[in-house]
Amino acid sequence: MASPFPRILSSVIATFSLSCALSAATPVNPIRLDTVGYLPEAQKLASVDAPCSTFDVIDTATGAVVFTGKASAPVLDRDTGERLAHVDFSAVTKAGEYRVEIPGVGSSAPFQVSNDVYRDPFILVTRAMYLWRCGTAVTTTYEGVTFHQDACHLNDAWTDYINGKHEKLDGTGGWHDAGDYNKYVVNAGVTVGSMLRAWEDFGPRIEKIGLDLPESGGRIPDYLANVKWETDWLFKMQAPDGSVYHKISALNFCPFIMPSQESAPRYFVPWSSEATADFVAMMAEMSRDIRPYDAAYADRCLAAARKSYAFLLAHPAEHHCDQSEFHTGEYATDDAPIRLWAAAELWEATGDKAVLGDLEARIRASKAKVEQHWDWGDVQNLGYFRYALSTRPGRDPALLAEVRKNIVATADRIVATARADGYGRPLGDIYYWGGNGCVARQTMNLETAYRISGDKAFRAAMLDALHYLFGRNVHGRSYVTGLGFEPPMNPHDRRSASDGIIPPWPGYLVGGPNPGPADWHDDERDFRTNEIAINWNSALIYALAAQLPR
């Protein structure tokens, strides 16, 4: 279960105990850079935690020195306490593989320079969503290793907690949420929302890329088919009255076993206003995006969204479901931000003036406060972005101007934070559960601000986020399984810990340092820093999609 919010973690923390022997990983390389690579015309910086003056860039294929430069004077990084110098090798623009060498310090990990350097990472991270599928067998082969899970949870799920009857109701399908195998509507919200936002912003680039899915070759593009697996499941979470069940879960987290081995009963959990609002937003957005390929499915999505929106209007009070019998992820939060996003997506799908009125009233009530870092509980940002970039008429010009101004101002703060950080980390000195996912998700703020203002500094900062996640960080390592230099080998993921294969399942972003910059442990027991989750991967998918070749 993935969350940056400590207030909902008590049941999770009580479930696991970590060895006191866990300690921060010791960096093995003082030259820290993006170990996946760089775009040819982009800025290329490495942070160096060692005294240095000059450096060389070496072509690994020929051994030739292709660039020589001077390091900056070291500056104290207040976040980590290190004195970091920076080396700038932006002049290296020719496609190839390189490394940085510093006399008296050593050699960096190798990295690529290429226009499509992020294409294969995008495919890997997006295919990882397919590998999270529940209710079906999945298989992939990566770097010569085959990963497989049998069909699982075909008995989802019992109705005891929603109607007092021990009956089976079809809840099969969907994605496993994180390092566990439960399925949560609320965390699906930001996940589906981020993935569909990537499609809307970068669809022509994404559509060129095949994902080798069971649905490949059909009328629906691979990427949307990948998301449709989740929305197919979401239909099953809608009650006849339009309310939406909060989750499907066992009463407790299962041991580290493969998903097909989990035999504990799983249950529908009663409706919540958070889940219902997320459902409205997801279904309204999907109805728009899939309409050119499957109009009937789009109509079904929109009808479902309207029904749940009507239920929310009839039940304006916040309603959290009773989870007292469950010791799995709660995903309970204020529903106001989610209702705002729901109204934004339904208005964009329909142009309904009444829905626009609801949306604008909610934006005014929220003071149009755009969050600088956010996750599943702060999806009002998705609503603001939708409102700001829509081409539909009828918006209040003054409110629209305020929202756009706040989006740009928040992006300015993100850029300033990245520039002040010794590693270019857009979150700066803020570390919490799932911080890596929020680093990736900030790229959505930055892209939206760029589309409003045209300021190229926003797109440069988007790359800073990727550089940090792929190795320009205090550990000098990639935070994504299967990618870059010394990626995580022991994520908190029940499949990776249970399948008997040494490399973990590939393409997953781990949560990252918490509560300080050095506090990341590549240990499967450390769910606080090394768990994987659909919401974090979806954010990375967006960040990578933005850098795909046009």
Side-chain angles (χ1 to χ4, degrees):
M1 177 255 175
S3 173
F5 302 102
R7 69 179 182 272
I8 70 169
L9 301 178
S10 57
S11 63
V12 183
I13 292 172
T15 307
F16 296 104
S17 62
L18 296 178
S19 167
C20 62
L22 289 180
S23 60
T26 301
V28 297
N29 196 320
I31 307 172
R32 296 156 196 171
L33 44 68
D34 186 331
T35 62
V36 170
Y38 298 85
L39 297 172
E41 303 304 323
Q43 186 181 48
K44 304 171 184 69
L45 295 175
S47 302
V48 184
D49 182 25
C52 58
S53 56
T54 63
F55 68 95
D56 296 321
V57 179
I58 310 297
D59 185 323
T60 62
T62 65
V65 175
V66 300
F67 180 75
T68 298
K70 292 184 178 181
S72 72
V75 175
L76 176 66
D77 183 56
R78 289 178 296 178
D79 182 10
T80 64
E82 302 164 306
R83 292 187 62 80
L84 297 175
H86 294 105
V87 299
D88 187 334
F89 47 100
S90 304
V92 179
T93 60
K94 182 180 178 181
E97 183 182 84
Y98 303 93
R99 66 179 185 271
V100 172
E101 288 190 356
I102 301 177
V105 176
S107 179
S108 75
F111 59 89
Q112 299 285 329
V113 173
S114 171
N115 279 320
D116 63 354
V117 68
Y118 296 117
R119 182 182 185 277
D120 287 347
F122 171 81
I123 293 172
L124 187 70
V125 173
T126 306
R127 270 186 54 78
M129 304 302 293
Y130 152 69
L131 299 177
W132 252 316
R133 291 184 180 186
C134 182
T136 187
V138 297
T139 300
T140 193
T141 298
Y142 181 67
E143 293 187 343
V145 178
T146 297
F147 301 84
H148 175 80
Q149 76 177 35
D150 293 331
C152 60
H153 304 110
L154 299 176
N155 59 345
D156 280 350
W158 296 101
T159 65
D160 301 48
Y161 294 92
I162 61 172
N163 62 11
K165 301 176 182 178
H166 188 62
E167 298 174 334
K168 188 68 62 64
L169 182 65
D170 181 16
T172 56
W175 293 321
H176 298 144
D177 178 69
D180 63 274
Y181 300 139
N182 301 308
K183 299 182 292 195
Y184 308 92
V185 173
V186 172
N187 204 33
V190 73
T191 303
V192 170
S194 297
M195 290 185 69
L196 292 181
R197 183 84 238 185
W199 176 260
E200 292 157 6
D201 288 350
F202 314 112
R205 308 180 207 180
I206 295 172
E207 195 166 5
K208 299 175 184 177
I209 295 174
L211 296 174
D212 190 23
L213 303 176
E215 299 91 341
S216 293
R219 59 180 173 172
I220 298 174
D222 283 9
Y223 185 87
L224 289 180
N226 213 9
V227 182
K228 183 176 177 290
W229 182 267
E230 183 76 344
T231 55
D232 285 348
W233 169 71
L234 287 167
F235 281 120
K236 301 175 182 181
M237 299 301 287
Q238 186 182 43
D241 64 359
S243 64
V244 176
Y245 305 127
H246 192 75
K247 66 184 184 184
I248 286 179
S249 172
L251 296 181
N252 298 287
F253 290 111
C254 71
F256 275 44
I257 55 178
M258 292 298 286
S260 61
Q261 297 173 312
E262 185 180 24
S263 57
R266 287 154 64 95
Y267 302 93
F268 283 87
V269 174
W271 79 275
S272 70
S273 53
E274 307 102 287
T276 306
D278 269 310
F279 178 91
V280 172
M282 287 185 280
M283 288 306 193
E285 190 171 12
M286 184 56 139
S287 75
R288 297 193 315 272
D289 293 344
I290 207 166
R291 185 166 297 281
Y293 312 99
D294 190 336
Y297 191 83
D299 288 343
R300 185 182 173 204
C301 288
L302 186 56
R306 287 182 183 275
K307 184 174 187 177
S308 290
Y309 181 74
F311 180 90
L312 288 172
L313 291 180
H315 298 80
E318 183 171 84
H319 177 83
H320 301 304
C321 59
D322 179 5
Q323 300 187 58
S324 58
E325 297 295 319
F326 291 82
H327 304 285
T328 54
E330 291 183 8
Y331 287 110
T333 189
D334 178 9
D335 73 2
I338 312 176
R339 286 179 184 253
L340 187 156
W341 178 40
E345 297 297 351
L346 188 60
W347 165 67
E348 181 74 354
T350 64
D352 188 313
K353 291 182 180 180
V355 180
L356 176 60
D358 179 25
L359 169 60
E360 292 189 326
R362 293 183 180 281
I363 293 175
R364 293 187 186 98
S366 72
K367 302 186 185 303
K369 184 179 183 298
V370 179
E371 296 294 338
Q372 185 170 336
H373 51 93
W374 51 290
D375 206 332
W376 55 266
D378 307 294
V379 290
Q380 71 270 22
N381 272 15
L382 289 170
Y384 299 144
F385 300 160
R386 176 68 59 209
Y387 184 76
L389 297 181
S390 176
T391 59
R392 281 197 176 277
R395 290 164 291 177
D396 180 325
L399 185 62
L400 177 59
E402 181 184 4
V403 171
R404 287 177 171 172
K405 180 186 73 174
N406 290 354
I407 289 171
V408 172
T410 300
D412 281 334
R413 291 194 294 272
I414 293 172
V415 170
T417 299
R419 288 176 175 172
D421 187 85
Y423 292 106
R425 185 177 189 262
L427 267 179
D429 61 358
I430 301 171
Y431 296 88
Y432 49 70
W433 189 313
N436 279 350
C438 292
V439 168
R441 189 167 288 106
Q442 286 181 307
T443 61
M444 207 176 306
N445 292 67
L446 293 163
E447 176 66 22
T448 306
Y450 173 79
R451 290 174 180 239
I452 292 169
S453 70
D455 187 341
K456 293 182 179 179
F458 297 139
R459 286 199 164 161
M462 294 171 73
L463 286 168
D464 286 332
L466 288 177
H467 298 331
Y468 170 80
L469 295 174
F470 289 145
R472 192 185 171 204
N473 55 57
V474 70
H475 297 98
R477 298 170 59 178
S478 168
Y479 288 129
V480 182
T481 59
L483 285 177
F485 178 69
E486 292 190 352
M489 292 297 292
N490 303 286
H492 183 81
D493 170 34
R494 281 162 174 73
R495 297 164 307 166
S496 294
S498 307
D499 64 1
I501 299 173
I502 291 176
W505 286 55
Y508 294 103
L509 175 66
V510 298
N514 172 30
D519 298 320
W520 169 61
H521 317 108
D522 189 13
D523 188 305
E524 67 191 29
R525 298 166 294 174
D526 191 359
F527 51 91
R528 295 171 303 168
T529 75
N530 218 33
E531 188 175 17
I532 62 174
I534 57 173
N535 49 322
W536 306 335
N537 252 53
S538 69
L540 183 56
I541 288 168
Y542 184 94
L544 289 166
Q547 308 306 330
L548 291 172
R550 294 180 182 275

